[in-house]
Amino acid sequence: MKKLLNVKGLAVLLPGLLVSAATVAADAKDIEVNELATELAHPWGMAFLPDGNLLITERTGSLRQYSFEDGLSEPVANVPAVEAVNQGGMLDVQVDPDFAQNQTIYFCYSRKGENGSSSSVAKATLKNNALKNVSTIFVAEPLVDNGFHFGCRLAFDKDNNLFVTLGDRYKYMDEAQNTDNHFGKIVRIRPDGSVPEDNPFIDGDAPEIYSYGHRNVQGLTMHPETKEVWAMEHGPKGGDEVNKLRKGANYGWPVITYGIDYDGSTISEKTKQEGMEQPVIYWDPSIAPSGMAFYDKSVFADWKGDLLVGALKFTHLRRIEMDGDKPGEQHEYLRDRGERIRDVEVGPDGLIYVLTDAPKGKLLQLSPAN
C-alpha cells in the first residue's frame, strides 16, 4: 500500500485570469470533415498501426480496429473487464514501437480491485482481432472508491520507455505532492513494467514516478523534433495547463494553480512558487482539453510544428501556433458541430484524426479545404 500524506488544502482568493495566448476564431471553410465511423460508444483513445489502420478504445470497455478498406471491426476479443463508472473505463491505447516485429499493444483502463478501482496498464499481442498473452505491467496505488481523475494517457519516449499519466482521483488532490503514492503523477516504466534505474524517486515507495504535482493529465505526446515529452492537464475551474516534462519536477498542484474550485471557493492564492514548474500554456476559462499532438507533416503546410488540442467543454479542435516552445495565436475548428473532442492524432498520411465523445461517438478525418 502506497503511503498517503494528510495535508490540508490552501484556500484563498484567486483573481480572474486570461488565457496565456490570443484565441482567433477559425473559418470553418479551412478544413473538410469526413465522418469515418459514427457508432462508437464514448471513444476515448486511438493509435495508428504500422499498416495505417487505427486502434480505438471505447470507454464502455471495448477495443476496436478501424480499417480504411473495411471500416469498423467487431470488438477485439479477450479484452479484460473494466470498471466503466463515471470517468473510468477503457481509456488510452498505444502501439509498441516494434509492433511490426512483436504485434504488441498497451492499454490503460480503470480496473476494479478489493478496495476500489485504479488506473492499470496491460500489454498484449494483437492477432486476428483478438488479444493474446494479456499481462498487467502497472497498477496505480492505492486503490480508492471513486470514479474520477484516472489520467491514463500513454506515450513512448525516444528510448522506448512508456509514460503513463495518473490523476489525483479528485478528492485526494493533496496527495499529488506526496511522492510515496501514484496520485497526481506521471510515471515512467519500461515496456515490461520494470522501473528505469535513473527514475528520480527510485528509492521511494513509488519508484515509477517521473514527475508530480499534476491534477488530471488528459494529453501526452512526444515532440517530433526535440523528443521531449509534453503533457496537458485539466485544471479545476480555470487553469488547464500544457507542460514540458522534466525528470523529478514538481508541477505544483494543488499548492499553485491558475484556477478555483467548481463551487467558486479558492484552492490556493499562489500561481507561482520556487521549486515548482510554470506551464507553457494555461487557459482560463477552462477548455477541458483532451488529447494532444504536434503536427509534423506537410499536408497542412502552414501548421507544421503547431500543437493540436481537443476541447471537450467548448467542442472544438484547437491549433496553437508554436515558435519552438513559445505559443502564439490559437485557432478553433469544428466548434459549430457541437461535439466534444476527446482525442486527436496526426495520421501517417498527414491528415488529422479526432474522436468525439458521445454515446454514438465519431471518428473524423480532417483534410485541407480545396
Side-chain angles (χ1 to χ4, degrees):
M1 176 66 71
K2 305 301 183 186
K3 297 176 182 177
L4 296 181
L5 181 67
N6 294 315
V7 179
K8 292 184 178 180
L10 301 174
V12 285
L13 181 63
L14 178 68
L17 295 164
L18 297 175
V19 66
S20 63
T23 300
V24 179
D27 188 344
K29 296 179 180 179
D30 289 348
I31 59 174
E32 292 185 357
V33 180
N34 183 20
E35 295 186 355
L36 300 180
T38 60
E39 297 290 329
L40 291 159
H42 289 287
W44 207 94
M46 58 180 161
F48 278 92
L49 294 163
D51 62 5
N53 292 333
L54 273 163
L55 282 175
I56 302 172
T57 63
E58 294 176 297
R59 187 172 54 79
T60 51
S62 297
L63 181 65
R64 309 283 286 271
Q65 297 190 66
Y66 179 83
S67 164
F68 287 87
E69 293 183 357
D70 302 322
L72 199 63
S73 75
E74 293 297 317
V76 173
N78 303 327
V79 172
V82 308
E83 179 75 346
V85 176
N86 293 318
Q87 296 171 357
M90 179 62 71
L91 302 178
D92 209 10
V93 63
Q94 190 59 255
V95 174
D96 192 285
D98 296 321
F99 180 88
Q101 288 72 45
N102 60 27
Q103 290 77 53
T104 299
I105 66 168
Y106 304 79
F107 49 95
C108 188
Y109 65 106
S110 56
R111 187 175 71 168
K112 189 174 184 178
E114 184 177 348
N115 298 309
S117 61
S118 180
S119 302
S120 299
V121 180
K123 65 184 295 186
T125 53
L126 175 65
K127 294 183 179 180
N128 301 323
N129 209 44
L131 298 185
K132 298 182 178 180
N133 306 315
V134 179
S135 62
T136 299
I137 61 171
F138 174 79
V139 177
E141 296 183 8
L143 279 66
V144 293
D145 190 16
N146 76 40
F148 300 101
H149 294 190
F150 288 95
C152 252
R153 286 293 179 192
L154 303 173
F156 280 99
D157 69 3
K158 62 182 178 61
D159 298 316
N160 291 351
N161 291 312
L162 182 62
F163 282 67
V164 184
T165 73
L166 303 168
D168 65 357
R169 302 304 299 274
Y170 190 47
K171 65 181 180 180
Y172 298 94
M173 64 181 182
D174 294 316
E175 297 300 325
Q177 290 295 314
N178 178 6
T179 57
D180 282 326
N181 64 53
H182 293 129
F183 292 144
K185 312 301 190 303
I186 294 177
V187 302
R188 181 180 66 165
I189 57 176
R190 295 192 182 99
D192 63 359
S194 60
V195 178
E197 294 178 357
D198 63 337
N199 268 11
F201 302 100
I202 194 72
D203 295 326
D205 286 349
E208 303 89 352
I209 293 173
Y210 186 83
S211 62
Y212 66 110
H214 300 285
R215 186 172 181 268
N216 189 21
V217 179
Q218 295 285 290
L220 191 68
T221 192
M222 183 177 69
H223 194 288
E225 293 184 359
T226 67
K227 307 304 179 184
E228 296 171 309
V229 179
W230 289 51
M232 179 176 65
E233 63 188 82
H234 284 213
K237 190 176 182 180
D240 301 332
E241 297 183 359
V242 174
N243 291 295
K244 286 196 305 180
L245 295 187
R246 289 195 311 108
K247 183 169 66 174
N250 181 356
Y251 290 82
W253 176 254
V255 178
I256 60 172
T257 178
Y258 285 95
I260 59 177
D261 214 341
Y262 295 115
D263 62 3
S265 63
T266 55
I267 296 170
S268 174
E269 63 184 353
K270 299 179 181 180
T271 58
K272 298 180 181 180
Q273 181 164 301
E274 185 176 356
M276 296 182 179
E277 302 295 311
Q278 281 292 297
V280 177
I281 302 165
Y282 71 87
W283 290 283
D284 187 5
S286 294
I287 66 169
S290 188
M292 67 185 297
F294 285 97
Y295 189 79
D296 61 345
K297 305 296 183 183
S298 58
V299 175
F300 291 85
D302 295 336
W303 295 17
K304 193 152 189 175
D306 291 351
L307 184 63
L308 304 175
V309 172
L312 295 163
K313 181 178 179 180
F314 292 134
T315 65
H316 65 265
L317 175 70
R318 180 169 294 222
R319 176 173 66 93
I320 304 157
E321 295 182 20
M322 299 295 295
D323 180 10
D325 293 347
K326 296 180 180 180
E329 289 187 334
Q330 302 188 20
H331 307 262
E332 296 179 1
Y333 306 87
L334 309 180
R335 189 164 185 169
D336 59 338
R337 295 175 62 93
E339 296 171 314
R340 289 160 50 89
I341 306 301
R342 174 60 74 179
D343 199 13
V344 53
E345 293 286 347
V346 177
D349 56 5
L351 302 183
I352 296 166
Y353 296 81
V354 301
L355 295 175
T356 68
D357 179 33
K360 291 186 177 181
K362 300 173 183 176
L363 169 63
L364 305 179
Q365 180 191 64
L366 311 183
S367 58
N370 293 326

